[in-house]
Amino acid sequence: MKALILRLSKVLGLFYLARKLTANKTRVLCYHGISVEDEHLFRPGLFMQKSTFARRMQLLKEWNFTSISLDDYIDQREQGVVKKNAMVITIDDGWQAILEGMWPQIRACQFQATLYLSSYFIQHRRPVFKVAVFYLFWKHDGLFKPAQDSCLVEYRGKELNAEMLLEVVKQLGSDYERPILLELCAYFGESSDAWQQKGKFMFLSPEQVAELHNQGLAIELHTHKHRFSEVGAEEARQELQRNQKAIVEMTGKRPEHFCYPRGEFREEQLAILNDLGIRSATTTDNELCSDTHHIHKLPRIMDNDSISELEFEAEVSGFMTLLRGLGR
Ligand SMILES: [Zn+2]
């Protein structure tokens, strides 16, 4: 039904009209990682197929959006002269597969892009624990029964689901993450070594981040351990400062733009951003960005592997923004 309405709207020229009416708004696009094997089936919002991403870039090129850097966008906003039909490409987290699956396509289109980097898994190179755990339970659809020699001494022979296991490891501390993941992979018949070799659930290495920066990808803030709204003021500040320090060490350039992990923040936390001189911050509110949006609450278009080309066009053209506006 939705597809039919969108198709009809496009045929009637409403996408074209929406594009004209929203030309002064900026499309800030949000991407995450690239699927190495079947992760796009697991979390299509977190892992996009390389082919889907390449096609998106091709479409944006065909639709004649002007790619500008985040720095340029904020400069233009401050000067009150934001270019029409501008778009800003942002990538969250720092997944390793973007190296092959995104960056070459971005460069081929001569687009600018920003990577909001979480630094913990750049420094601690192993599969991202929480995501890997959810993936294993999703794929194998069963409970985990720690063996009699498991390091989870108290849970030997008991049955755990993903949430229970994550809670147990949270109590035990992050030193348990690696041995537990090895146990869990062995239990479900997967190899975390093979994952590591393929870059599945892996973040970039510090050297790869430095190289991407040298090639023109802007590296910006996403906190050290991907935590912000859930921690207190002092810890949130430290998350940003550790992240900032790690990025400066890799790139030699001080990051000034921030993306809230999961797009979440508490209103009183905006003071921390002001204190640290952070020029802009983006959320996961799915919307076009206008110069009336708060500089620390910039919305983005959240792209996703399960979004059809027609739905993508409906968002990017501004048609959905206008529709939502009418709804309100
Ligand atoms: Zn993130």
Side-chain angles (χ1 to χ4, degrees), residues 56-102:
R56 296 291 207 251
M57 293 302 108
Q58 193 191 338
L59 287 171
L60 292 165
K61 193 87 190 166
E62 277 173 22
W63 295 335
N64 276 317
F65 284 104
T66 309
S67 170
I68 57 173
S69 71
L70 191 52
D71 256 337
D72 284 345
Y73 173 58
I74 302 302
D75 286 346
Q76 290 176 16
R77 265 180 71 117
E78 285 172 1
Q79 293 154 12
V81 287
V82 177
K83 279 205 182 102
K84 282 193 168 186
N85 293 304
M87 70 160 183
V88 176
I89 296 171
T90 68
I91 308 164
D92 293 8
D93 302 332
W95 299 98
Q96 189 183 294
I98 66 168
L99 209 55
E100 298 285 318
M102 280 190 190

mmCIF file of all heavy atoms in Angstrom, residues 56-102:
data_model
loop_
_atom_site.group_PDB
_atom_site.id
_atom_site.type_symbol
_atom_site.label_atom_id
_atom_site.label_comp_id
_atom_site.label_asym_id
_atom_site.label_seq_id
_atom_site.Cartn_x
_atom_site.Cartn_y
_atom_site.Cartn_z
ATOM 1 N N ARG A 56 22.994 3.631 -3.727
ATOM 2 C CA ARG A 56 22.558 4.883 -3.087
ATOM 3 C C ARG A 56 23.441 6.050 -3.532
ATOM 4 O O ARG A 56 22.958 7.140 -3.845
ATOM 5 C CB ARG A 56 22.636 4.780 -1.562
ATOM 6 C CG ARG A 56 21.727 3.754 -0.932
ATOM 7 C CD ARG A 56 20.268 4.127 -1.040
ATOM 8 N NE ARG A 56 19.513 3.550 0.018
ATOM 9 C CZ ARG A 56 18.632 2.543 -0.094
ATOM 10 N NH1 ARG A 56 18.383 2.026 -1.284
ATOM 11 N NH2 ARG A 56 17.983 2.084 0.955
ATOM 12 N N MET A 57 24.748 5.808 -3.552
ATOM 13 C CA MET A 57 25.675 6.873 -3.945
ATOM 14 C C MET A 57 25.414 7.286 -5.398
ATOM 15 O O MET A 57 25.402 8.466 -5.736
ATOM 16 C CB MET A 57 27.133 6.418 -3.768
ATOM 17 C CG MET A 57 27.557 6.189 -2.322
ATOM 18 S SD MET A 57 27.365 7.626 -1.238
ATOM 19 C CE MET A 57 25.986 7.121 -0.227
ATOM 20 N N GLN A 58 25.184 6.261 -6.226
ATOM 21 C CA GLN A 58 24.907 6.510 -7.647
ATOM 22 C C GLN A 58 23.630 7.352 -7.799
ATOM 23 O O GLN A 58 23.598 8.306 -8.577
ATOM 24 C CB GLN A 58 24.727 5.136 -8.301
ATOM 25 C CG GLN A 58 24.727 5.125 -9.806
ATOM 26 C CD GLN A 58 24.269 3.748 -10.316
ATOM 27 O OE1 GLN A 58 24.344 2.737 -9.614
ATOM 28 N NE2 GLN A 58 23.789 3.727 -11.544
ATOM 29 N N LEU A 59 22.602 7.026 -7.018
ATOM 30 C CA LEU A 59 21.341 7.777 -7.077
ATOM 31 C C LEU A 59 21.542 9.219 -6.636
ATOM 32 O O LEU A 59 21.061 10.151 -7.289
ATOM 33 C CB LEU A 59 20.277 7.107 -6.181
ATOM 34 C CG LEU A 59 19.696 5.798 -6.708
ATOM 35 C CD1 LEU A 59 18.829 5.132 -5.638
ATOM 36 C CD2 LEU A 59 18.877 6.032 -7.980
ATOM 37 N N LEU A 60 22.268 9.422 -5.545
ATOM 38 C CA LEU A 60 22.494 10.780 -5.042
ATOM 39 C C LEU A 60 23.239 11.620 -6.078
ATOM 40 O O LEU A 60 22.998 12.817 -6.225
ATOM 41 C CB LEU A 60 23.261 10.737 -3.715
ATOM 42 C CG LEU A 60 22.477 10.142 -2.535
ATOM 43 C CD1 LEU A 60 23.398 9.797 -1.373
ATOM 44 C CD2 LEU A 60 21.366 11.095 -2.073
ATOM 45 N N LYS A 61 24.146 10.953 -6.795
ATOM 46 C CA LYS A 61 24.892 11.625 -7.867
ATOM 47 C C LYS A 61 23.917 12.014 -8.990
ATOM 48 O O LYS A 61 23.914 13.149 -9.451
ATOM 49 C CB LYS A 61 25.973 10.663 -8.380
ATOM 50 C CG LYS A 61 27.019 11.295 -9.257
ATOM 51 C CD LYS A 61 28.125 11.860 -8.404
ATOM 52 C CE LYS A 61 29.068 12.709 -9.231
ATOM 53 N NZ LYS A 61 29.933 13.520 -8.353
ATOM 54 N N GLU A 62 23.094 11.043 -9.381
ATOM 55 C CA GLU A 62 22.111 11.285 -10.462
ATOM 56 C C GLU A 62 21.135 12.399 -10.090
ATOM 57 O O GLU A 62 20.708 13.167 -10.938
ATOM 58 C CB GLU A 62 21.287 10.016 -10.721
ATOM 59 C CG GLU A 62 21.961 9.014 -11.625
ATOM 60 C CD GLU A 62 21.182 7.696 -11.709
ATOM 61 O OE1 GLU A 62 19.963 7.699 -11.424
ATOM 62 O OE2 GLU A 62 21.804 6.676 -12.042
ATOM 63 N N TRP A 63 20.760 12.463 -8.824
ATOM 64 C CA TRP A 63 19.784 13.463 -8.382
ATOM 65 C C TRP A 63 20.412 14.836 -8.142
ATOM 66 O O TRP A 63 19.738 15.768 -7.687
ATOM 67 C CB TRP A 63 19.090 12.977 -7.097
ATOM 68 C CG TRP A 63 18.263 11.750 -7.294
ATOM 69 C CD1 TRP A 63 17.686 11.327 -8.462
ATOM 70 C CD2 TRP A 63 17.909 10.764 -6.303
ATOM 71 N NE1 TRP A 63 17.007 10.147 -8.255
ATOM 72 C CE2 TRP A 63 17.114 9.772 -6.938
ATOM 73 C CE3 TRP A 63 18.180 10.620 -4.940
ATOM 74 C CZ2 TRP A 63 16.605 8.669 -6.267
ATOM 75 C CZ3 TRP A 63 17.672 9.518 -4.269
ATOM 76 C CH2 TRP A 63 16.884 8.556 -4.927
ATOM 77 N N ASN A 64 21.706 14.917 -8.435
ATOM 78 C CA ASN A 64 22.398 16.215 -8.397
ATOM 79 C C ASN A 64 22.405 16.934 -7.052
ATOM 80 O O ASN A 64 22.238 18.151 -7.000
ATOM 81 C CB ASN A 64 21.795 17.167 -9.441
ATOM 82 C CG ASN A 64 22.405 16.933 -10.795
ATOM 83 O OD1 ASN A 64 23.634 16.765 -10.895
ATOM 84 N ND2 ASN A 64 21.578 16.877 -11.810
ATOM 85 N N PHE A 65 22.607 16.179 -5.977
ATOM 86 C CA PHE A 65 22.809 16.844 -4.699
ATOM 87 C C PHE A 65 24.267 17.288 -4.628
ATOM 88 O O PHE A 65 25.148 16.640 -5.195
ATOM 89 C CB PHE A 65 22.489 15.903 -3.538
ATOM 90 C CG PHE A 65 21.015 15.719 -3.340
ATOM 91 C CD1 PHE A 65 20.381 14.552 -3.749
ATOM 92 C CD2 PHE A 65 20.257 16.728 -2.764
ATOM 93 C CE1 PHE A 65 19.012 14.399 -3.582
ATOM 94 C CE2 PHE A 65 18.887 16.577 -2.593
ATOM 95 C CZ PHE A 65 18.262 15.413 -3.006
ATOM 96 N N THR A 66 24.501 18.409 -3.941
ATOM 97 C CA THR A 66 25.867 18.899 -3.791
ATOM 98 C C THR A 66 26.417 18.391 -2.469
ATOM 99 O O THR A 66 25.899 18.732 -1.409
ATOM 100 C CB THR A 66 25.893 20.443 -3.787
ATOM 101 O OG1 THR A 66 25.172 20.898 -4.930
ATOM 102 C CG2 THR A 66 27.305 20.973 -3.814
ATOM 103 N N SER A 67 27.437 17.569 -2.552
ATOM 104 C CA SER A 67 28.038 17.019 -1.338
ATOM 105 C C SER A 67 28.951 18.051 -0.703
ATOM 106 O O SER A 67 29.858 18.567 -1.346
ATOM 107 C CB SER A 67 28.834 15.765 -1.708
ATOM 108 O OG SER A 67 29.599 15.355 -0.608
ATOM 109 N N ILE A 68 28.673 18.368 0.561
ATOM 110 C CA ILE A 68 29.568 19.291 1.276
ATOM 111 C C ILE A 68 30.035 18.607 2.567
ATOM 112 O O ILE A 68 29.390 17.694 3.063
ATOM 113 C CB ILE A 68 28.902 20.662 1.594
ATOM 114 C CG1 ILE A 68 27.618 20.481 2.416
ATOM 115 C CG2 ILE A 68 28.609 21.427 0.318
ATOM 116 C CD1 ILE A 68 27.005 21.794 2.899
ATOM 117 N N SER A 69 31.165 19.090 3.068
ATOM 118 C CA SER A 69 31.671 18.494 4.313
ATOM 119 C C SER A 69 30.860 19.050 5.483
ATOM 120 O O SER A 69 30.193 20.075 5.368
ATOM 121 C CB SER A 69 33.152 18.829 4.490
ATOM 122 O OG SER A 69 33.281 20.208 4.798
ATOM 123 N N LEU A 70 30.935 18.359 6.590
ATOM 124 C CA LEU A 70 30.228 18.809 7.785
ATOM 125 C C LEU A 70 30.762 20.184 8.221
ATOM 126 O O LEU A 70 29.992 21.075 8.601
ATOM 127 C CB LEU A 70 30.422 17.761 8.891
ATOM 128 C CG LEU A 70 29.574 17.864 10.140
ATOM 129 C CD1 LEU A 70 28.093 17.964 9.820
ATOM 130 C CD2 LEU A 70 29.825 16.627 11.014
ATOM 131 N N ASP A 71 32.071 20.339 8.129
ATOM 132 C CA ASP A 71 32.698 21.631 8.460
ATOM 133 C C ASP A 71 32.103 22.754 7.610
ATOM 134 O O ASP A 71 31.740 23.806 8.124
ATOM 135 C CB ASP A 71 34.213 21.559 8.166
ATOM 136 C CG ASP A 71 35.021 21.429 9.444
ATOM 137 O OD1 ASP A 71 34.511 21.816 10.509
ATOM 138 O OD2 ASP A 71 36.160 20.915 9.367
ATOM 139 N N ASP A 72 32.018 22.487 6.299
ATOM 140 C CA ASP A 72 31.469 23.505 5.384
ATOM 141 C C ASP A 72 30.023 23.819 5.736
ATOM 142 O O ASP A 72 29.606 24.982 5.718
ATOM 143 C CB ASP A 72 31.535 23.031 3.924
ATOM 144 C CG ASP A 72 32.946 23.133 3.377
ATOM 145 O OD1 ASP A 72 33.769 23.829 4.013
ATOM 146 O OD2 ASP A 72 33.223 22.523 2.327
ATOM 147 N N TYR A 73 29.284 22.762 6.047
ATOM 148 C CA TYR A 73 27.869 22.971 6.376
ATOM 149 C C TYR A 73 27.722 23.877 7.592
ATOM 150 O O TYR A 73 26.918 24.822 7.593
ATOM 151 C CB TYR A 73 27.162 21.632 6.603
ATOM 152 C CG TYR A 73 25.749 21.796 7.097
ATOM 153 C CD1 TYR A 73 24.821 22.528 6.352
ATOM 154 C CD2 TYR A 73 25.334 21.272 8.323
ATOM 155 C CE1 TYR A 73 23.517 22.721 6.808
ATOM 156 C CE2 TYR A 73 24.039 21.455 8.787
ATOM 157 C CZ TYR A 73 23.138 22.187 8.035
ATOM 158 O OH TYR A 73 21.863 22.384 8.494
ATOM 159 N N ILE A 74 28.513 23.614 8.622
ATOM 160 C CA ILE A 74 28.404 24.421 9.843
ATOM 161 C C ILE A 74 28.893 25.855 9.579
ATOM 162 O O ILE A 74 28.280 26.827 10.033
ATOM 163 C CB ILE A 74 29.167 23.760 11.022
ATOM 164 C CG1 ILE A 74 28.613 22.338 11.275
ATOM 165 C CG2 ILE A 74 29.076 24.607 12.291
ATOM 166 C CD1 ILE A 74 27.127 22.251 11.574
ATOM 167 N N ASP A 75 29.974 25.975 8.791
ATOM 168 C CA ASP A 75 30.444 27.319 8.408
ATOM 169 C C ASP A 75 29.337 28.081 7.686
ATOM 170 O O ASP A 75 29.060 29.243 7.989
ATOM 171 C CB ASP A 75 31.655 27.214 7.453
ATOM 172 C CG ASP A 75 32.927 26.794 8.185
ATOM 173 O OD1 ASP A 75 32.936 26.843 9.434
ATOM 174 O OD2 ASP A 75 33.898 26.411 7.497
ATOM 175 N N GLN A 76 28.717 27.404 6.719
ATOM 176 C CA GLN A 76 27.661 28.061 5.932
ATOM 177 C C GLN A 76 26.478 28.459 6.808
ATOM 178 O O GLN A 76 25.891 29.515 6.631
ATOM 179 C CB GLN A 76 27.188 27.127 4.806
ATOM 180 C CG GLN A 76 28.213 26.936 3.703
ATOM 181 C CD GLN A 76 27.758 25.924 2.645
ATOM 182 O OE1 GLN A 76 26.586 25.570 2.564
ATOM 183 N NE2 GLN A 76 28.694 25.457 1.847
ATOM 184 N N ARG A 77 26.155 27.607 7.755
ATOM 185 C CA ARG A 77 25.059 27.931 8.686
ATOM 186 C C ARG A 77 25.391 29.175 9.494
ATOM 187 O O ARG A 77 24.561 30.064 9.664
ATOM 188 C CB ARG A 77 24.837 26.763 9.652
ATOM 189 C CG ARG A 77 23.759 25.804 9.239
ATOM 190 C CD ARG A 77 23.641 24.715 10.263
ATOM 191 N NE ARG A 77 23.052 25.200 11.515
ATOM 192 C CZ ARG A 77 21.886 24.764 12.013
ATOM 193 N NH1 ARG A 77 21.197 23.853 11.382
ATOM 194 N NH2 ARG A 77 21.425 25.240 13.144
ATOM 195 N N GLU A 78 26.641 29.214 9.978
ATOM 196 C CA GLU A 78 27.053 30.357 10.804
ATOM 197 C C GLU A 78 27.033 31.660 10.005
ATOM 198 O O GLU A 78 26.763 32.716 10.536
ATOM 199 C CB GLU A 78 28.446 30.090 11.397
ATOM 200 C CG GLU A 78 28.374 29.073 12.541
ATOM 201 C CD GLU A 78 29.747 28.612 13.054
ATOM 202 O OE1 GLU A 78 30.783 29.083 12.543
ATOM 203 O OE2 GLU A 78 29.752 27.774 13.963
ATOM 204 N N GLN A 79 27.324 31.515 8.699
ATOM 205 C CA GLN A 79 27.319 32.709 7.849
ATOM 206 C C GLN A 79 25.937 32.987 7.257
ATOM 207 O O GLN A 79 25.754 33.952 6.515
ATOM 208 C CB GLN A 79 28.346 32.539 6.720
ATOM 209 C CG GLN A 79 29.789 32.503 7.207
ATOM 210 C CD GLN A 79 30.706 31.729 6.252
ATOM 211 O OE1 GLN A 79 30.306 31.405 5.130
ATOM 212 N NE2 GLN A 79 31.906 31.418 6.700
ATOM 213 N N GLY A 80 25.015 32.096 7.536
ATOM 214 C CA GLY A 80 23.651 32.257 7.016
ATOM 215 C C GLY A 80 23.533 32.069 5.521
ATOM 216 O O GLY A 80 22.651 32.643 4.877
ATOM 217 N N VAL A 81 24.436 31.277 4.952
ATOM 218 C CA VAL A 81 24.401 31.077 3.491
ATOM 219 C C VAL A 81 24.510 29.590 3.137
ATOM 220 O O VAL A 81 25.397 29.191 2.386
ATOM 221 C CB VAL A 81 25.553 31.830 2.775
ATOM 222 C CG1 VAL A 81 25.295 33.312 2.760
ATOM 223 C CG2 VAL A 81 26.910 31.524 3.447
ATOM 224 N N VAL A 82 23.611 28.782 3.672
ATOM 225 C CA VAL A 82 23.671 27.344 3.364
ATOM 226 C C VAL A 82 23.278 27.129 1.909
ATOM 227 O O VAL A 82 22.262 27.647 1.437
ATOM 228 C CB VAL A 82 22.739 26.534 4.295
ATOM 229 C CG1 VAL A 82 22.759 25.058 3.908
ATOM 230 C CG2 VAL A 82 23.178 26.691 5.750
ATOM 231 N N LYS A 83 24.124 26.382 1.196
ATOM 232 C CA LYS A 83 23.873 26.102 -0.228
ATOM 233 C C LYS A 83 22.578 25.329 -0.404
ATOM 234 O O LYS A 83 22.222 24.486 0.410
ATOM 235 C CB LYS A 83 25.017 25.239 -0.773
ATOM 236 C CG LYS A 83 26.254 25.998 -1.150
ATOM 237 C CD LYS A 83 27.036 25.208 -2.209
ATOM 238 C CE LYS A 83 28.313 25.923 -2.576
ATOM 239 N NZ LYS A 83 29.489 25.338 -1.931
ATOM 240 N N LYS A 84 21.906 25.577 -1.511
ATOM 241 C CA LYS A 84 20.699 24.804 -1.839
ATOM 242 C C LYS A 84 21.098 23.408 -2.289
ATOM 243 O O LYS A 84 22.193 23.206 -2.811
ATOM 244 C CB LYS A 84 19.924 25.500 -2.961
ATOM 245 C CG LYS A 84 19.113 26.684 -2.452
ATOM 246 C CD LYS A 84 18.127 27.154 -3.504
ATOM 247 C CE LYS A 84 17.141 28.131 -2.874
ATOM 248 N NZ LYS A 84 16.068 28.515 -3.785
ATOM 249 N N ASN A 85 20.191 22.464 -2.083
ATOM 250 C CA ASN A 85 20.407 21.071 -2.518
ATOM 251 C C ASN A 85 21.680 20.450 -1.967
ATOM 252 O O ASN A 85 22.321 19.632 -2.640
ATOM 253 C CB ASN A 85 20.427 20.990 -4.047
ATOM 254 C CG ASN A 85 19.072 21.296 -4.626
ATOM 255 O OD1 ASN A 85 18.086 20.648 -4.262
ATOM 256 N ND2 ASN A 85 19.008 22.301 -5.479
ATOM 257 N N ALA A 86 22.036 20.855 -0.752
ATOM 258 C CA ALA A 86 23.272 20.324 -0.167
ATOM 259 C C ALA A 86 23.007 19.018 0.573
ATOM 260 O O ALA A 86 21.910 18.805 1.097
ATOM 261 C CB ALA A 86 23.859 21.350 0.793
ATOM 262 N N MET A 87 24.004 18.173 0.586
ATOM 263 C CA MET A 87 23.910 16.955 1.403
ATOM 264 C C MET A 87 25.237 16.703 2.105
ATOM 265 O O MET A 87 26.301 17.083 1.618
ATOM 266 C CB MET A 87 23.519 15.741 0.563
ATOM 267 C CG MET A 87 24.596 15.293 -0.374
ATOM 268 S SD MET A 87 24.324 13.594 -0.895
ATOM 269 C CE MET A 87 25.775 13.339 -1.910
ATOM 270 N N VAL A 88 25.117 16.100 3.276
ATOM 271 C CA VAL A 88 26.283 15.768 4.090
ATOM 272 C C VAL A 88 26.206 14.269 4.380
ATOM 273 O O VAL A 88 25.190 13.796 4.888
ATOM 274 C CB VAL A 88 26.254 16.558 5.431
ATOM 275 C CG1 VAL A 88 27.404 16.143 6.332
ATOM 276 C CG2 VAL A 88 26.266 18.061 5.185
ATOM 277 N N ILE A 89 27.254 13.528 4.043
ATOM 278 C CA ILE A 89 27.241 12.087 4.314
ATOM 279 C C ILE A 89 27.958 11.814 5.632
ATOM 280 O O ILE A 89 29.100 12.246 5.828
ATOM 281 C CB ILE A 89 27.936 11.310 3.172
ATOM 282 C CG1 ILE A 89 27.148 11.489 1.870
ATOM 283 C CG2 ILE A 89 28.073 9.814 3.513
ATOM 284 C CD1 ILE A 89 27.840 10.946 0.647
ATOM 285 N N THR A 90 27.272 11.128 6.537
ATOM 286 C CA THR A 90 27.899 10.755 7.806
ATOM 287 C C THR A 90 27.826 9.238 7.998
ATOM 288 O O THR A 90 26.875 8.591 7.568
ATOM 289 C CB THR A 90 27.227 11.437 9.017
ATOM 290 O OG1 THR A 90 25.901 10.918 9.183
ATOM 291 C CG2 THR A 90 27.164 12.947 8.865
ATOM 292 N N ILE A 91 28.858 8.704 8.621
ATOM 293 C CA ILE A 91 28.945 7.263 8.900
ATOM 294 C C ILE A 91 29.240 7.132 10.403
ATOM 295 O O ILE A 91 30.134 7.810 10.912
ATOM 296 C CB ILE A 91 30.093 6.611 8.095
ATOM 297 C CG1 ILE A 91 29.968 6.956 6.605
ATOM 298 C CG2 ILE A 91 30.129 5.103 8.317
ATOM 299 C CD1 ILE A 91 31.236 6.691 5.800
ATOM 300 N N ASP A 92 28.509 6.285 11.081
ATOM 301 C CA ASP A 92 28.677 6.151 12.528
ATOM 302 C C ASP A 92 29.534 4.933 12.897
ATOM 303 O O ASP A 92 29.517 3.923 12.183
ATOM 304 C CB ASP A 92 27.317 5.973 13.221
ATOM 305 C CG ASP A 92 26.448 7.230 13.121
ATOM 306 O OD1 ASP A 92 26.827 8.168 12.405
ATOM 307 O OD2 ASP A 92 25.393 7.253 13.773
ATOM 308 N N ASP A 93 30.195 5.033 14.014
ATOM 309 C CA ASP A 93 30.843 3.923 14.732
ATOM 310 C C ASP A 93 32.301 3.631 14.379
ATOM 311 O O ASP A 93 33.163 3.727 15.235
ATOM 312 C CB ASP A 93 30.041 2.613 14.626
ATOM 313 C CG ASP A 93 28.630 2.758 15.171
ATOM 314 O OD1 ASP A 93 28.426 3.607 16.069
ATOM 315 O OD2 ASP A 93 27.728 2.050 14.703
ATOM 316 N N GLY A 94 32.574 3.217 13.118
ATOM 317 C CA GLY A 94 33.963 2.877 12.739
ATOM 318 C C GLY A 94 34.138 1.420 12.336
ATOM 319 O O GLY A 94 35.209 0.842 12.534
ATOM 320 N N TRP A 95 33.100 0.824 11.760
ATOM 321 C CA TRP A 95 33.188 -0.580 11.310
ATOM 322 C C TRP A 95 34.222 -0.731 10.209
ATOM 323 O O TRP A 95 34.305 0.099 9.296
ATOM 324 C CB TRP A 95 31.807 -1.056 10.827
ATOM 325 C CG TRP A 95 30.765 -1.015 11.896
ATOM 326 C CD1 TRP A 95 29.841 -0.023 12.087
ATOM 327 C CD2 TRP A 95 30.569 -1.972 12.957
ATOM 328 N NE1 TRP A 95 29.078 -0.307 13.210
ATOM 329 C CE2 TRP A 95 29.498 -1.486 13.751
ATOM 330 C CE3 TRP A 95 31.186 -3.178 13.302
ATOM 331 C CZ2 TRP A 95 29.035 -2.179 14.879
ATOM 332 C CZ3 TRP A 95 30.723 -3.853 14.412
ATOM 333 C CH2 TRP A 95 29.658 -3.366 15.190
ATOM 334 N N GLN A 96 34.971 -1.816 10.289
ATOM 335 C CA GLN A 96 36.098 -2.012 9.368
ATOM 336 C C GLN A 96 35.671 -2.178 7.914
ATOM 337 O O GLN A 96 36.359 -1.724 6.998
ATOM 338 C CB GLN A 96 36.898 -3.249 9.801
ATOM 339 C CG GLN A 96 38.207 -3.397 9.041
ATOM 340 C CD GLN A 96 38.936 -4.676 9.434
ATOM 341 O OE1 GLN A 96 39.372 -4.821 10.567
ATOM 342 N NE2 GLN A 96 39.046 -5.601 8.512
ATOM 343 N N ALA A 97 34.539 -2.820 7.685
ATOM 344 C CA ALA A 97 34.144 -3.121 6.301
ATOM 345 C C ALA A 97 33.783 -1.883 5.479
ATOM 346 O O ALA A 97 33.610 -1.991 4.257
ATOM 347 C CB ALA A 97 32.994 -4.126 6.293
ATOM 348 N N ILE A 98 33.710 -0.705 6.110
ATOM 349 C CA ILE A 98 33.447 0.509 5.322
ATOM 350 C C ILE A 98 34.644 0.832 4.424
ATOM 351 O O ILE A 98 34.509 1.516 3.425
ATOM 352 C CB ILE A 98 33.118 1.750 6.204
ATOM 353 C CG1 ILE A 98 34.321 2.171 7.046
ATOM 354 C CG2 ILE A 98 31.903 1.469 7.079
ATOM 355 C CD1 ILE A 98 34.152 3.532 7.712
ATOM 356 N N LEU A 99 35.782 0.293 4.811
ATOM 357 C CA LEU A 99 37.019 0.519 4.060
ATOM 358 C C LEU A 99 36.875 0.056 2.605
ATOM 359 O O LEU A 99 37.301 0.731 1.675
ATOM 360 C CB LEU A 99 38.123 -0.292 4.749
ATOM 361 C CG LEU A 99 39.551 0.176 4.693
ATOM 362 C CD1 LEU A 99 39.707 1.589 5.208
ATOM 363 C CD2 LEU A 99 40.416 -0.773 5.530
ATOM 364 N N GLU A 100 36.266 -1.107 2.427
ATOM 365 C CA GLU A 100 36.059 -1.659 1.088
ATOM 366 C C GLU A 100 34.652 -1.366 0.576
ATOM 367 O O GLU A 100 34.435 -1.240 -0.617
ATOM 368 C CB GLU A 100 36.216 -3.191 1.133
ATOM 369 C CG GLU A 100 37.585 -3.678 1.551
ATOM 370 C CD GLU A 100 38.593 -3.502 0.443
ATOM 371 O OE1 GLU A 100 38.238 -3.788 -0.707
ATOM 372 O OE2 GLU A 100 39.719 -3.038 0.732
ATOM 373 N N GLY A 101 33.716 -1.284 1.525
ATOM 374 C CA GLY A 101 32.311 -1.254 1.129
ATOM 375 C C GLY A 101 31.677 0.120 1.027
ATOM 376 O O GLY A 101 30.567 0.236 0.522
ATOM 377 N N MET A 102 32.351 1.155 1.521
ATOM 378 C CA MET A 102 31.775 2.510 1.436
ATOM 379 C C MET A 102 32.742 3.540 0.857
ATOM 380 O O MET A 102 32.400 4.281 -0.046
ATOM 381 C CB MET A 102 31.347 2.993 2.828
ATOM 382 C CG MET A 102 30.031 2.457 3.304
ATOM 383 S SD MET A 102 29.507 3.319 4.817
ATOM 384 C CE MET A 102 28.130 2.268 5.260
#
